[in-house]
Amino acid sequence: MGNAPLSPSKPIDAHVHVVGNGSGDSGCWVRVRGWHRPLAALMLRHIGLPLSAMSGDLETLYISRLLELLRGSSLGAAVILAQDLVYDEQGSPMQNAGSFYVPNDYVLGLAEKHPEFLPAISIHPARPDALEELDRCLARGAVMLKCLPNCQNINCNDRRYTRFWERMAEAKLPLLAHTGGEHTLPVVQPEYADPRVLALPLECGVTVIAAHCGTKSGLFDPEYFHVFAGMTRRFDNLYGDTSAFNVPLRGRHVRKCLESPLVERMVHGSDFPVLVHGHWAWMRGFVGWGAFRKWEKNPNIIERDYQLKVAMGFPAECFTRIRGILRLKTD
Ligand SMILES: [Zn+2]
């Protein structure tokens, strides 16, 4: 495992996406359709890349930009996320589903090259080779597993996946699972946005982080924040991340997230390259005018997202807690 020792006090961003178009032989692909197209262009511009990057050397440009932003920020490391294909319940890839793919070997390789990156793999548990792939990635230093039940068609409560969750629990590999609506990627099973879909891995002893704390993304999405909060009382091994809390709707429940005991379950994540704007937090009175003005002007969105969350009142532990959750090599 190539992870250099991380500075123990520096914050970690636990939710950072990497994307690629195969230009650097990564095996990544991206397929943006319809109204997702202008959104993708907006995100590229937001991180300071031209639209032409989509058909050019996206991989080199994206990674060098991400490293530049990370190194210019207060953060010490970022967990970078692989993205598996969409599979049906029988374990066959669903053709034409999914809008991007990031192979495990790509994030594992990036983390070997750059100590700032911690690799989160992605494996659909219905895959016939799911357990072998899990063991292979554990041997290469995976620190977490990421999945999007609603977009990747994963009913985590399916009893056939029990062995997979048990193996993750044995290996102390945490699960970061998307919860709440989703509008950046195509959704296959909207009902799997409900955090209750995570009950089986939790019962198997997997430490689970509900990305976005079950909050809604679109105006007409069901709101699962209270379901998530209720589940933290039942499961000691359930956490929630603050990723995308600086988009219009997701950050609505910040005050509740800052209350004990929920605040002890909060983990910092940006959801890079998702847009970061302080207007919503300022309008809701979560940050003052001065902090909003100061950080909104900062072009480094990794730093902007971090500083806005500090200004919202998230305590320092929320930014380092992930260190005790990830499967990090200690020697
Ligand atoms: Zn995300």
Side-chain angles (χ1 to χ4, degrees):
M1 283 183 251
N3 302 332
L6 296 166
S7 157
S9 55
K10 276 204 166 183
I12 294 182
D13 188 332
H15 190 138
V16 169
H17 291 278
V18 290
V19 291
N21 56 4
S23 57
D25 272 337
S26 63
C28 296
W29 53 257
V30 54
R31 185 169 53 205
V32 190
R33 292 195 185 114
W35 66 268
H36 288 107
R37 236 173 242 276
L39 193 60
L42 198 62
M43 284 197 267
L44 274 181
R45 208 170 46 221
H46 197 59
I47 65 168
L49 290 183
L51 185 58
S52 60
M54 279 299 271
S55 50
D57 190 4
L58 179 63
E59 290 163 17
T60 313
L61 290 168
Y62 190 93
I63 294 304
S64 46
R65 185 74 186 128
L66 174 56
L67 279 170
E68 187 188 344
L69 293 174
L70 196 54
R71 288 170 184 159
S73 77
S74 307
L75 288 99
V79 184
I80 53 167
L81 313 176
Q83 172 93 2
D84 204 357
L85 301 175
V86 184
Y87 285 82
D88 65 21
E89 284 76 10
Q90 282 67 48
S92 305
M94 288 169 72
Q95 301 305 328
N96 287 318
S99 60
F100 78 113
Y101 172 62
V102 180
N104 294 329
D105 282 326
Y106 185 50
V107 295
L108 291 165
L110 283 171
E112 277 161 12
K113 261 186 259 161
H114 308 286
E116 298 90 341
F117 288 157
L118 301 168
I121 55 165
S122 181
I123 303 170
H124 194 299
R127 276 169 61 166
D129 67 339
L131 278 166
E132 292 90 90
E133 178 65 0
L134 177 58
D135 281 332
R136 192 185 72 83
C137 294
L138 286 169
R140 275 195 77 184
V143 301
M144 187 164 79
L145 187 138
K146 167 76 196 290
C147 74
L148 292 92
N150 58 339
C151 298
Q152 288 173 317
N153 189 38
I154 307 175
N155 175 10
C156 300
N157 288 332
D158 190 324
R159 292 275 155 196
R160 288 175 299 174
Y161 305 152
T162 304
R163 185 66 203 112
F164 187 82
W165 307 131
E166 285 172 350
R167 178 72 191 107
M168 279 183 65
E170 264 164 40
K172 295 195 164 37
L173 188 73
L175 169 68
L176 173 65
H178 178 95
T179 55
E182 171 61 44
H183 294 272
T184 318
L185 305 176
V187 170
V188 180
Q189 287 287 350
E191 65 272 28
Y192 297 167
D194 187 330
R196 280 172 281 216
V197 84
L198 303 171
L200 183 60
L202 285 161
E203 283 159 11
C204 290
V206 179
T207 298
V208 177
I209 304 164
H212 321 297
C213 300
T215 54
K216 66 185 201 173
S217 160
L219 210 49
F220 303 107
D221 291 338
E223 177 62 75
Y224 296 111
F225 175 76
H226 303 286
V227 175
F228 158 74
M231 284 175 74
T232 60
R233 292 193 284 275
R234 203 175 127 213
F235 294 106
D236 290 343
N237 48 340
L238 177 61
Y239 294 80
D241 86 12
T242 60
S243 61
F245 273 18
N246 284 308
V247 299
L249 291 177
R250 287 217 198 272
R252 289 189 308 150
H253 301 286
V254 161
R255 283 219 172 90
K256 288 249 157 45
C257 295
L258 294 175
E259 284 170 14
S260 189
L262 199 54
V263 70
E264 280 110 62
R265 305 297 183 86
M266 289 293 134
V267 164
H268 170 65
S270 64
D271 210 4
F272 181 92
V274 163
L275 310 195
V276 176
H277 289 298
H279 303 72
W280 325 106
W282 170 67
M283 286 191 299
R284 294 187 177 109
F286 299 163
V287 298
W289 173 251
F292 160 59
R293 288 291 295 155
K294 179 173 178 197
W295 298 114
E296 192 62 23
K297 272 191 265 179
N298 191 320
N300 184 337
I301 60 162
I302 290 185
E303 182 70 4
R304 188 194 295 170
D305 182 70
Y306 165 70
Q307 293 291 356
L308 285 169
K309 285 168 186 165
V310 170
M312 288 175 201
F314 282 99
E317 301 77 55
C318 293
F319 302 93
T320 53
R321 178 165 289 126
I322 190 71
R323 201 180 300 270
I325 296 173
L326 296 174
R327 177 178 171 268
L328 293 174
K329 229 192 155 206
T330 42
D331 62 8

